Amino acid sequence: MKPRRGVIPGALLVALLAAAAWLYTYMASCRQEAIQARQNLDECYQIVADLARYAKQPALAADQEEQTSRTGQLIDAAARQAGIQKVAVISPEPAQRVNDGPYKEKPISIRLGDNVTLVQASSMLSMLATGDRPLVPKSIRMTTSRDDTSSANWAMEAVVTYLVYDPLKPAQPGRQ
Amino acid sequence: MADGAYMLLPSGQSWRVARIAAGQCELHDVPDAGEGDVFGRLLQVLEELGHKGQSVCLALSSSYVFCARLNIASLPRKNRSAAMLYRLEEQLPLEAERLTADFLPMASGFALGFAVETAGLKEIVDKLLQNGIRVGAICPASLLAAFYVQSARGAEACNYILISDEGRLELCRIDHRTLSNWYCLDSSPEKLSQSLAADMLSNQLPGDHPTVLVVGGLSPDAESRLKEDLDAKVIKLEKAARPAELAAQGAAQVLAGKLSCVDFNRGALLPAGKWGPLAGHLKWARSLAIVLLVALSVSLGLRAWLYQGLTARHVGLQQGQYRRVFPTGPIPQDLNARMKSELARVSGISGGSEMPTQPNAINTLGRVIAAMPDGMKFKINEIRVSPQEIILEGQVLNHGDAGILAQAINRAGFFAEAPKTQQLPRNEVAFTLVARLSKESKTGGTP
């Protein structure tokens, strides 16, 4: 009594072929995952390097709107350093998005009294523009009386601005 | 497709060829006319009978076959066939290495072992193959007949099958529809009766009287002895058929895979296969393919495992980098997306490529003041600097001086329009000067 010859080796061959085919697809998917992981790691290294590079650069924009008290302190400090006794008005205005881009411009109106010199006003605005958190003068208006010949009786109104990085959020589906 | 099945039956110096088609059997004698010529004539007869190359059954006379009852209960399961062969060898006059054997399992730890001497049969099988006759089964002719008869009669039970052919008597004992012994007997009626009685003494029968199924002719004397001495029930086949014809019917069923019989078509007696001399190479190739596939599977599995390790290592390193940037908090699934978002934020704060230029009015004011001509009397009452333009209002001594101021401002890179002037009562001229900022002046501000 004997089993049919060739059945067992044939079945073994077929099973091995099937196993090899399955293992090949499995190995290929593992390989693809490994390649993807390597690419992700390289990209990650690049991102970390870029982050380190940016960390060494000064911040040219805020990541959120500064508190009014902080900008007021900056303006007061610049005025005192320029020899200006007092700042009459500090008035923050609503931030406006610039060119539909990721930045907003935050304006702050400043008005000084009638007794500053051109040098004092320029010095104060220059200091604001070159500080750690720059407040850049966008517009300036300086006036003096037509009959006044003194160089120390100027009144100044200026608008200083700083940028806020606030990218637009992607629109959420289903919401109007 | 080839029609019919064929059985070859060597008998002394001659051969018999049987063709079984549509349930009918034809027997043809092929006498041995000369040395080495019989196989060619066998092929010729087969072709005349319509043989198209299909496998044939080689039916052996019982004189070729050894048979012994074996106790196999104590044999190990591993390499059981080899162990059974060596147990069979103990009861035979030949070494196991010279035998080709087959076994029929029986109840209660016994088996019936059958063996043939390999060398003689191998020579026959090889010569048949050389003449284009491929052997598909090698079975004892008597057992072919007995198994066929038992199979054809279905559930009708008998204790013995007695095969009588050309003066020879063979007795098959059947226990529970399984062959449990096989004898060649003396043909005299007395000996037959005595042999059957001896077998009955050594083996308890399920009934009181033995039932004997007779295949082939049985002499009236022998039949009456069985009935009188042993009170046996003798059954004869309805259709009188010669044992060789029944063996041929059994061979057809064995070749068709419908009947299982003792078969020596194994081991050294296996024909080389339809690929002939290439069969050995093909076997090697098959073995090699199996080994290669195993090696390939192992290799693929190993590579998959290595790739998994690499992936885990890369992910671990990536998580380490993430922790450098975000020391606390959970680690998200998509690390790079989170880190890209952080990079975009830091880049935006530090002044990325999309950062708009902020015109610096203090620089513009400095340039305007620096552009004022020396040695000319004038007074500025109001200065307005906006991102688009500069407006100066003041007083000069005459209308021409206002134009000189405008030219000086133009030289500093502005586009000054012709100033508006107005004579004042005190010999002074009031002017209003509007200058637009050039492109460089607009974009050259401090970011």
Side-chain angles (χ1 to χ4, degrees):
Chain A
M1 303 290 165
K2 61 182 178 180
R4 287 181 65 191
R5 279 183 288 125
V7 171
I8 293 172
L12 184 63
L13 263 176
V14 170
L16 280 171
L17 265 174
W22 180 83
L23 276 167
Y24 177 77
T25 53
Y26 179 62
M27 187 277 296
S29 73
C30 287
R31 180 172 177 271
Q32 197 55 41
E33 281 176 15
I35 290 171
Q36 187 62 50
R38 178 72 235 186
Q39 287 172 350
N40 287 345
L41 181 61
D42 289 344
E43 191 180 33
C44 182
Y45 280 137
Q46 185 59 49
I47 292 170
V48 170
D50 288 346
L51 283 170
R53 184 164 52 82
Y54 281 123
K56 292 176 186 168
Q57 296 178 3
L60 300 178
D63 56 355
Q64 59 184 1
E65 286 190 26
E66 303 277 6
Q67 290 184 344
T68 309
S69 58
R70 176 167 163 71
T71 50
Q73 284 169 1
L74 285 174
I75 293 165
D76 272 341
R80 274 197 302 278
Q81 282 190 28
I84 297 167
Q85 296 300 317
K86 61 177 182 181
V87 179
V89 173
I90 298 175
S91 172
E93 307 292 338
Q96 301 290 325
R97 188 164 294 281
V98 182
N99 300 332
D100 294 330
Y103 291 92
K104 282 181 174 178
E105 189 179 60
K106 175 73 176 177
I108 302 165
S109 295
I110 303 171
R111 189 154 64 82
L112 302 180
D114 296 340
N115 53 352
V116 295
T117 65
L118 267 176
V119 174
Q120 285 176 319
S122 304
S123 173
M124 175 192 162
L125 292 176
S126 294
M127 277 189 272
L128 284 174
T130 54
D132 288 341
R133 288 293 173 89
L135 296 172
V136 180
K138 185 177 183 182
S139 62
I140 303 170
R141 184 179 181 215
M142 299 192 72
T143 54
T144 184
S145 167
R146 183 173 290 181
D147 300 326
D148 191 349
T149 55
S150 167
S151 62
N153 289 326
W154 286 85
M156 188 196 79
E157 293 171 22
V159 174
V160 293
T161 62
Y162 65 89
L163 292 173
V164 179
Y165 180 71
D166 182 16
L168 290 163
K169 305 283 184 296
Q172 297 208 352
R175 302 187 79 177
Q176 304 234 335
Chain B
M1 180 152 177
D3 183 29
Y6 298 85
M7 183 186 78
L8 304 181
L9 183 64
S11 172
Q13 293 301 308
S14 63
W15 287 69
R16 295 169 90 182
V17 176
R19 175 176 183 268
I20 308 95
Q24 299 299 314
C25 177
E26 304 168 34
L27 277 171
H28 300 268
D29 289 323
V30 182
D32 188 5
E35 187 69 27
D37 197 28
V38 68
F39 296 101
R41 274 183 285 111
L42 270 178
L43 179 63
Q44 188 181 350
V45 170
L46 282 171
E47 285 174 348
E48 285 169 4
L49 291 173
H51 181 252
K52 296 287 194 299
Q54 62 265 49
S55 295
V56 301
C57 177
L58 184 60
L60 301 177
S61 164
S62 53
S63 58
Y64 283 89
V65 185
F66 301 104
C67 175
R69 185 181 162 95
L70 311 174
N71 184 350
I72 59 168
S74 59
L75 293 181
R77 287 196 172 276
K78 195 174 179 185
N79 293 329
R80 198 173 178 85
S81 296
M84 286 164 76
L85 177 62
Y86 286 111
R87 185 143 292 182
L88 178 64
E89 180 195 34
E90 294 167 4
Q91 304 189 40
L92 300 181
L94 293 174
E95 303 88 40
E97 289 74 19
R98 294 173 60 187
L99 297 173
T100 298
D102 194 7
F103 300 90
L104 275 181
M106 295 160 56
S108 62
F110 283 88
L112 211 52
F114 303 86
V116 289
E117 189 177 2
T118 306
L121 265 180
K122 173 75 176 162
E123 193 179 343
I124 293 173
V125 170
D126 286 347
K127 282 185 176 173
L128 286 171
L129 190 61
Q130 284 167 15
N131 284 275
I133 304 167
R134 180 181 158 81
V135 175
I138 305 173
C139 309
S142 305
L143 294 187
L144 281 172
F147 278 52
Y148 172 72
V149 167
Q150 196 186 7
S151 162
R153 288 174 61 83
E156 190 178 341
C158 63
N159 303 116
Y160 295 95
I161 299 176
L162 185 63
I163 302 164
S164 172
D165 190 21
E166 297 177 351
R168 285 184 297 106
L169 278 180
E170 295 178 32
L171 185 68
C172 299
R173 193 176 70 234
I174 309 295
D175 285 339
H176 307 290
R177 300 189 56 75
T178 305
L179 181 70
S180 63
N181 219 333
W182 179 36
Y183 303 103
C184 290
L185 302 175
D186 195 305
S187 59
S188 70
E190 295 83 8
K191 292 281 184 186
L192 169 63
S193 176
Q194 286 169 6
S195 297
L196 208 58
D199 190 86
M200 287 168 64
L201 281 173
S202 61
N203 298 281
Q204 186 68 41
L205 292 177
D208 294 335
H209 309 290
T211 306
V212 181
L213 176 67
V214 177
V215 176
L218 186 65
S219 66
D221 190 20
E223 186 177 341
S224 63
R225 290 297 292 263
L226 285 177
K227 287 179 178 172
E228 289 168 12
D229 296 350
L230 304 172
D231 202 10
K233 181 184 177 185
V234 177
I235 304 171
K236 292 181 180 175
L237 291 178
E238 293 83 358
K239 279 169 53 180
R242 287 188 288 173
E245 291 173 351
L246 295 171
Q249 297 283 5
Q253 294 207 356
V254 166
L255 289 171
K258 295 176 182 172
L259 182 67
S260 183
C261 185
V262 173
D263 191 353
F264 301 109
N265 191 31
R266 61 184 65 231
L269 292 181
L270 275 178
K274 64 181 174 181
W275 295 97
L278 286 177
H281 299 293
L282 286 174
K283 196 174 174 184
W284 271 106
R286 189 176 63 189
S287 305
L288 191 63
I290 289 173
V291 170
L292 283 177
L293 279 172
V294 168
L296 179 67
S297 300
V298 170
S299 159
L300 287 170
L302 192 64
R303 282 181 74 87
W305 178 70
L306 287 174
Y307 281 131
Q308 281 178 333
L310 268 178
T311 305
R313 184 164 166 267
H314 290 158
V315 170
L317 286 171
Q318 198 183 355
Q319 288 177 347
Q321 293 295 315
Y322 180 83
R323 273 282 170 252
R324 281 180 60 189
V325 180
F326 301 102
T328 58
I331 296 178
Q333 191 73 24
D334 191 351
L335 304 184
N336 281 8
R338 176 74 184 88
M339 291 177 77
K340 278 179 189 171
S341 168
E342 177 64 9
L343 178 62
R345 190 187 71 80
V346 173
S347 161
I349 291 170
S350 302
S353 59
E354 293 181 61
M355 181 172 256
T357 304
Q358 285 180 285
N360 190 338
I362 200 71
N363 287 352
T364 309
L365 179 63
R367 286 171 57 205
V368 169
I369 291 171
M372 294 294 164
D374 295 333
M376 194 177 83
K377 289 188 76 173
F378 61 92
K379 181 174 184 296
I380 304 293
N381 296 326
E382 184 172 347
I383 306 169
R384 275 179 278 168
V385 180
S386 71
Q388 291 78 33
E389 60 186 9
I390 305 158
I391 300 172
L392 294 176
E393 287 182 16
Q395 294 158 2
V396 287
L397 293 177
N398 53 55
H399 293 281
D401 285 353
I404 292 170
L405 273 179
Q407 287 171 4
I409 287 172
N410 274 343
R411 279 197 295 274
F414 300 95
F415 298 107
E417 297 169 2
K420 292 178 184 173
T421 54
Q422 182 183 0
Q423 184 68 48
L424 297 174
R426 289 185 300 178
N427 242 2
E428 291 172 341
V429 174
F431 70 90
T432 300
L433 182 61
V434 178
R436 287 193 304 280
L437 273 65
S438 66
K439 198 171 184 181
E440 296 82 42
S441 301
K442 281 183 184 174
T443 57
T446 302

